[in-house]
């Protein structure tokens, strides 16, 4: 990585510079502003790779030595991300992308600092900003006049202005107006990260001052083909990111609650939702066995916990979505009892343990709670997921997909419809007494089982 001071000699800085923006973009793309990306997880590594392909001067920082070692060898530890492995290999090979476990060394050399680290929540549902605090403290040790810090990780509103900026101000040797800070949220989905970062959506940018917003816009307008949407300040940008996730959580909760009316109304709620959505102002999601991932189940607490304003709708949505694994288990039990099988005597297989098809991510996956509740009822629980190597989070006996043909089971629950499950030869299986279709993905299945589709209801006999 080129040293920031030597690379900018005779040119100036990005933040607070009098140079016109066209010249700044040219300097950025030619590598005159070294970039450090802090956090090389499933969103951080694609981001570092896109920065590196644009400017050719990026160092990625991660505390995991195995991650850094693999990247130094041109390997990619993030799987199921189209194009990322070959891009990383090429970037490392031509020295556009390097990696280190030493954040302070990276901070000393960089002039653009991009932070994309996790914000977990505690057992009390409080946002835990300890990782972010540590990274910001490291950046402060190497912050130079004219540098800019770009926060991409999702945080509670006001974090960038009152926590990140104030910490940098207090722990560096710089004064207000000598460096920039902006919140520029990642708007990225697993499985399409490169596409999203390069320009599936405009980049949102909000700075702690006008010059921070301007400087950040220069950078992201170069990276993102859809351009930049600037907002009034960093707090507004933080709210934009949160609101995107909160909308989805509340919408899914509505769908899940409506789906539970299926039996009493005697209708296919999914059909009603589909037709309702033909109106341009109606966009109801589909019901399912729960909500997982590292975003939606956690973001509501970024507003619920740190602020005094009541948020009953957000809290209720969380309760509804968190209840869906129990609803799924209740339907398993109902089906088994209708077939004269006690749940404590049942063998049950869960198909799909990750929270989303094709994505190797289990955080808050509904399959975790479903497996634990079934085991607590003394059922014998098996699990199949072609993406996973470890099953420690699940209360199951893991089996390979081809072993399904050798196992006579009483119940089968489709939680996550991976593409690999399309290869299952259903006619070669002993019909389970009960099938729960959590995602309406078994539409063409022919079976004599008792079948229940969440949001569609139950059907006994041929299901096609």
């Amino acid at each position: 990585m080129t040293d920031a001071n030597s690379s900018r000699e005779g040119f100036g800085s990005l933040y607070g510079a009098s140079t016109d923006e066209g010249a700044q973009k040219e300097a950025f793309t030619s590598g005159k502003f070294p970039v450090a990306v802090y956090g090389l997880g499933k969103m951080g590594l694609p981001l570092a790779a896109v920065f590196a392909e644009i400017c050719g001067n990026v160092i990625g920082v991660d505390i995991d030595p195995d991650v850094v070692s693999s990247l130094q060898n041109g390997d990619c530890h993030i799987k199921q991300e189209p194009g990322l492995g070959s891009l990383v290999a090429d970037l490392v090979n031509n020295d556009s992308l390097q990696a280190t476990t030493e954040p302070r060394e990276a901070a000393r050399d960089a002039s653009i600092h991009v932070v994309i680290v996790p914000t977990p929540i505690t057992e009390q549902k409080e946002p835990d900003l300890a990782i972010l605090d540590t990274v910001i403290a490291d950046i402060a040790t190497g912050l130079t006049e004219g540098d800019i810090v770009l926060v991409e990780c999702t945080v509670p509103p006001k974090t960038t202005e009152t926590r990140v900026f104030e910490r940098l101000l207090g722990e560096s040797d710089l004064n207000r107006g000598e460096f920039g800070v902006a919140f520029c949220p990642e708007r990225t989905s697993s499985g399409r990260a490169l596409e999203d970062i390069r320009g599936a959506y405009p980049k949102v940018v909000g700075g702690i001052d006008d010059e921070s917003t301007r400087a950040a816009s220069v950078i992201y307008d170069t990276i993102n083909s859809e351009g930049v949407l600037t907002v009034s300040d960093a707090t507004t940008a933080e709210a934009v990111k949160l609101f995107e996730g909160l909308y989805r959580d509340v919408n899914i909760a509505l769908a899940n609650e409506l789906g539970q009316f299926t039996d009493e109304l005697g209708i296919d709620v999914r059909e009603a939702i589909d037709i309702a959505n033909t109106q341009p102002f109606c966009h109801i999601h589909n019901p399912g066995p729960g909500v997982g991932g590292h975003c939606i189940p956690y973001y509501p607490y970024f507003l619920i916990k740190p602020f005094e304003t009541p948020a009953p709708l957000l809290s209720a949505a969380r309760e509804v979505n968190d209840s869906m694994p129990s609803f799924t288990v209740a339907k398993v039990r109902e089906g088994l009892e209708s077939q004269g099988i006690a749940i404590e005597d049942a063998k049950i297989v869960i198909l799909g343990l990750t929270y989303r098809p094709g994505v190797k991510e289990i955080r808050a996956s509904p399959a975790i709670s479903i497996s634990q509740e079934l085991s607590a009822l003394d059922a014998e629980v098996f699990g199949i997921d072609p993406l996973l190597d470890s099953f420690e989070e699940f209360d199951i006996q893991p089996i390979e997909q081809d072993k399904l043909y050798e196992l006579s089971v009483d119940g089968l629950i489709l939680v996550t419809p991976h593409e690999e499950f399309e290869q299952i030869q259903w006619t070669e299986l002993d019909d389970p007494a009960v099938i729960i279709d959590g995602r309406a993905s078994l539409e063409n299945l022919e079976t004599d089982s008792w079948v229940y589709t969440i949001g569609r209801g139950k059907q006994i006999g041929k299901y096609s």
Side-chain angles (χ1 to χ4, degrees):
M1 185 178 186
T2 306
D3 179 82
N5 294 324
S6 63
S7 69
R8 292 182 296 170
E9 187 175 350
F11 182 82
S13 60
L14 184 61
Y15 175 89
S18 58
T19 311
D20 69 83
E21 291 186 358
Q24 286 193 326
K25 287 183 179 181
E26 183 177 351
F28 171 59
T29 57
S30 63
K32 289 187 171 64
F33 297 121
V35 178
V37 176
Y38 304 83
L40 297 175
K42 66 178 186 176
M43 297 303 167
L45 180 57
L47 183 65
V50 172
F51 264 96
E53 73 175 342
I54 296 298
C55 75
N57 191 5
V58 173
I59 187 161
V61 184
D62 202 281
I63 60 171
D64 187 334
D66 292 334
V67 167
V68 170
S69 177
S70 69
L71 288 174
Q72 289 172 334
N73 292 325
D75 298 326
C76 178
H77 64 285
I78 305 297
K79 309 302 179 185
Q80 287 85 40
E81 201 60 72
L84 183 60
S86 58
L87 178 60
V88 167
D90 290 343
L91 293 169
V92 172
N93 185 58
N94 64 26
D95 293 328
S96 297
L97 177 63
Q98 303 174 47
T100 182
T101 57
E102 300 297 331
R104 297 193 173 201
E105 291 181 10
R108 181 196 63 208
D109 293 338
S111 56
I112 299 172
H113 308 266
V114 186
V115 183
I116 184 164
V117 295
T119 306
I121 59 174
T122 67
E123 292 183 2
Q124 291 74 39
K125 307 296 186 182
E126 299 279 355
D128 184 354
L129 295 167
I131 301 173
L132 177 65
D133 288 342
T134 299
V135 170
I136 295 305
D138 289 332
I139 292 172
T141 65
L143 204 62
T144 304
E145 185 173 355
D147 283 5
I148 185 164
V149 178
L150 309 172
V151 180
E152 287 227 4
C153 45
T154 309
V155 294
K158 296 191 174 184
T159 297
T160 301
E161 292 191 9
T162 64
R163 196 173 187 125
V164 172
F165 175 65
E166 292 299 330
R167 184 177 289 267
L168 290 169
L169 196 62
E171 298 188 17
S172 71
D173 296 327
L174 301 179
N175 298 314
R176 186 182 299 269
E178 293 181 335
F179 65 95
V181 179
F183 185 77
C184 315
E186 58 90 2
R187 308 176 84 191
T188 314
S189 295
S190 296
R192 48 173 294 157
L194 294 179
E195 177 185 356
D196 288 346
I197 294 167
R198 288 166 174 157
Y201 320 101
K203 189 69 175 181
V204 176
V205 171
I208 54 99
D209 54 33
D210 290 344
E211 176 59 10
S212 294
T213 301
R214 186 205 66 81
S217 297
V218 169
I219 296 168
Y220 286 109
D221 192 55
T222 308
I223 287 175
N224 190 308
S225 63
E226 287 295 304
V228 171
L229 296 175
T230 60
V231 296
S232 300
D233 49 38
T235 301
T236 302
E238 291 165 334
V240 168
K241 172 59 178 178
L242 270 190
F243 290 178
E244 291 173 353
L246 299 184
Y247 164 78
R248 292 188 66 197
D249 196 42
V250 171
N251 195 322
I252 294 169
L254 171 62
N256 283 334
E257 191 159 282
L258 294 177
Q260 294 179 53
F261 279 90
T262 296
D263 300 333
E264 190 171 359
L265 294 178
I267 67 169
D268 182 340
V269 166
R270 288 175 179 268
E271 178 189 6
I273 288 173
D274 288 343
I275 301 304
N277 285 346
T278 62
Q279 281 279 12
F281 51 76
C282 191
H283 305 282
I284 305 173
H285 282 260
N286 282 315
V291 178
H294 67 286
C295 301
I296 295 177
Y298 300 95
Y299 290 172
Y301 299 110
F302 290 12
L303 278 183
I304 293 171
K305 287 295 184 177
F307 300 98
E308 295 182 1
T309 301
L313 179 62
L314 300 181
S315 298
R318 278 285 79 230
E319 291 177 9
V320 170
N321 288 334
D322 284 343
S323 74
M324 290 310 293
S326 294
F327 176 83
T328 304
V329 171
K331 288 303 172 185
V332 175
R333 191 170 193 170
E334 176 186 331
L336 290 171
E337 289 176 351
S338 75
Q339 304 300 300
I341 303 171
I343 196 166
E344 60 267 23
D345 298 326
K347 290 183 179 180
I348 300 169
V349 171
I350 300 173
L351 286 179
L353 304 175
T354 66
Y355 88 98
R356 202 178 110 195
V359 175
K360 190 177 180 179
E361 169 69 71
I362 66 168
R363 286 185 66 183
S365 172
I368 297 174
S369 295
I370 290 170
S371 68
Q372 292 172 346
E373 290 190 31
L374 287 171
S375 293
L377 293 169
D378 293 327
E380 188 175 3
V381 187
F382 302 85
I384 299 174
D385 196 293
L387 301 187
L388 297 181
D389 303 313
S390 173
F391 300 87
E392 294 180 2
E393 297 288 334
F394 304 92
D395 203 346
I396 60 164
Q397 300 176 48
I399 59 172
E400 298 293 329
Q401 184 168 316
D402 59 2
K403 298 298 183 184
L404 187 59
Y405 304 100
E406 304 172 11
L407 191 65
S408 180
V409 299
D410 303 294
L412 186 148
I413 310 169
L414 178 67
V415 173
T416 306
H418 291 305
E419 183 179 340
E420 289 84 351
F421 295 153
E422 296 175 8
Q423 305 304 315
I424 294 176
Q425 301 298 312
W426 293 93
T427 57
E428 297 182 15
L429 300 178
D430 289 336
D431 274 348
V434 173
I435 296 176
I436 306 295
D437 185 356
R439 306 290 182 181
S441 299
L442 302 176
E443 301 292 5
N444 298 317
L445 177 64
E446 291 192 3
T447 177
D448 291 319
S449 302
W450 186 96
V451 179
Y452 188 94
T453 301
I454 294 177
R456 183 157 289 157
K458 61 179 175 289
Q459 181 173 341
I460 302 174
K462 297 298 182 183
Y463 180 59
S464 61

